[in-house]
């Protein structure tokens, strides 16, 4: 198995900065309440947070739809809920990647029932070819083809999250 670089460390830094500037501008005068979807979104969230200028908070949620599989089972459950109420707040959900869309579709539905003022989504990666359910995403870092990727938070069987780039797994040599 080999891992080829799909998005370099430098490209990640550059794009995160751009997104930070854009989001900061659009939230001027408001507070950004970031909700990170664990565990994959954590590296992107911390880097993005450093590029934001408006006041902001962070909370974390863990949702499971995959287990250790690389394909969707369609089963989504809350593994860890938020610590704080989101009522009346402007919520920015931070995701690593949108694949089928099931995770975010479910999450937005659950969070909307808690009466936030607004919910927007920023995802580092988007695989639109794989979409099963529709999700409205305001900010996308990179649109990528239908490939399984790892690194910068994303895992394969809980490994490779620490790679400083986004890599593509190819199973050639067996
Ligand atoms: P969705 O519900 O199908 O959109 O699944 C989204 C979640 O699946 C992501 O937040 C990831 O945790 C995981 N996932 C989807 N595609 C990949 C991938 O290529 N590499 C690693 N994790 C992935
Ligand atoms: Mg995720």
């Amino acid at each position: 198995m080999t891992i080829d670089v799909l998005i370099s460390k430098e490209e990640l830094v550059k794009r995160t900065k751009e997104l930070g500037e854009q989001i900061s501008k659009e939230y001027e005068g408001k507070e950004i309440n970031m909700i990170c979807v664990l565990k994959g979104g954590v590296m992107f969230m911390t880097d993005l947070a450093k590029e934001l200028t408006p006041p902001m908070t962070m909370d974390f949620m863990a949702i499971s739809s995959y287990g250790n599989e690389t394909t969707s089972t369609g089963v989504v459950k809350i593994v860890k809920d938020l610590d704080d109420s989101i009522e009346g707040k402007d919520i920015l959900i931070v995701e690593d990647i949108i694949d089928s869309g099931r995770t975010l579709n479910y999450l937005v539905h659950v969070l909307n029932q808690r009466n936030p003022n607004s919910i927007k989504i920023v995802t580092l990666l988007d695989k639109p070819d794989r979409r099963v359910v529709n999700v409205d995403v305001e900010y996308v870092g990179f649109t990528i083809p239908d490939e399984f990727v790892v690194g910068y938070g994303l895992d394969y069987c809980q490994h490779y999250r620490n790679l400083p780039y986004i890599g593509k797994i190819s199973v050639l040599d067996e």
Side-chain angles (χ1 to χ4, degrees):
M1 194 188 85
T2 55
I3 299 177
D4 303 315
V5 178
L6 187 67
I7 304 168
S8 70
K9 190 176 170 179
E10 291 71 25
E11 288 174 284
L12 290 171
V13 169
K14 182 169 173 276
R15 187 71 186 118
T16 304
K17 219 182 175 73
E18 286 170 2
L19 283 171
E21 278 170 19
Q22 188 189 351
I23 293 168
S24 295
K25 219 173 269 170
E26 290 178 20
Y27 279 81
E28 220 172 82
K30 292 184 190 168
E31 181 177 84
I32 306 174
N33 294 274
M34 300 177 100
I35 291 181
C36 175
V37 185
L38 295 169
K39 303 168 186 161
V42 80
M43 299 233 183
F44 177 48
M45 184 204 220
T46 53
D47 283 344
L48 180 64
K50 287 178 270 183
E51 304 296 336
L52 299 177
T53 50
M56 55 81 57
T57 70
M58 284 182 187
D59 205 347
F60 298 87
M61 196 160 186
I63 279 169
S64 155
S65 64
Y66 275 73
N68 279 338
E69 311 277 316
T70 57
T71 52
S72 175
T73 57
V75 179
V76 178
K77 64 172 195 257
I78 296 181
V79 178
K80 181 215 171 293
D81 206 339
L82 298 172
D83 291 336
D84 303 319
S85 162
I86 60 167
E87 196 172 336
K89 294 181 182 169
D90 294 301
I91 299 303
L92 181 65
I93 298 175
V94 185
E95 252 289 28
D96 51 354
I97 187 165
I98 308 180
D99 190 40
S100 71
R102 285 193 178 100
T103 308
L104 275 179
N105 184 276
Y106 169 79
L107 184 57
V108 168
H109 173 76
V110 167
L111 295 183
N112 262 325
Q113 291 171 338
R114 302 181 187 182
N115 299 316
N117 187 51
S118 69
I119 298 183
K120 287 187 180 180
I121 297 170
V122 55
T123 186
L124 177 66
L125 306 173
D126 187 14
K127 284 201 267 194
D129 297 347
R130 301 258 308 165
R131 200 72 89 255
V132 176
V133 288
N134 179 58
V135 188
D136 295 323
V137 190
E138 274 74 21
Y139 311 104
V140 175
F142 300 90
T143 301
I144 62 166
D146 180 10
E147 309 261 16
F148 195 81
V149 292
V150 294
Y152 196 62
L154 291 119
D155 74 304
Y156 173 63
C157 297
Q158 299 302 326
H159 286 84
Y160 309 113
R161 293 191 196 274
N162 60 323
L163 297 177
Y165 54 86
I166 298 289
K168 190 175 87 179
I169 290 190
S170 36
V171 191
L172 300 169
D173 35 320
E174 276 189 35

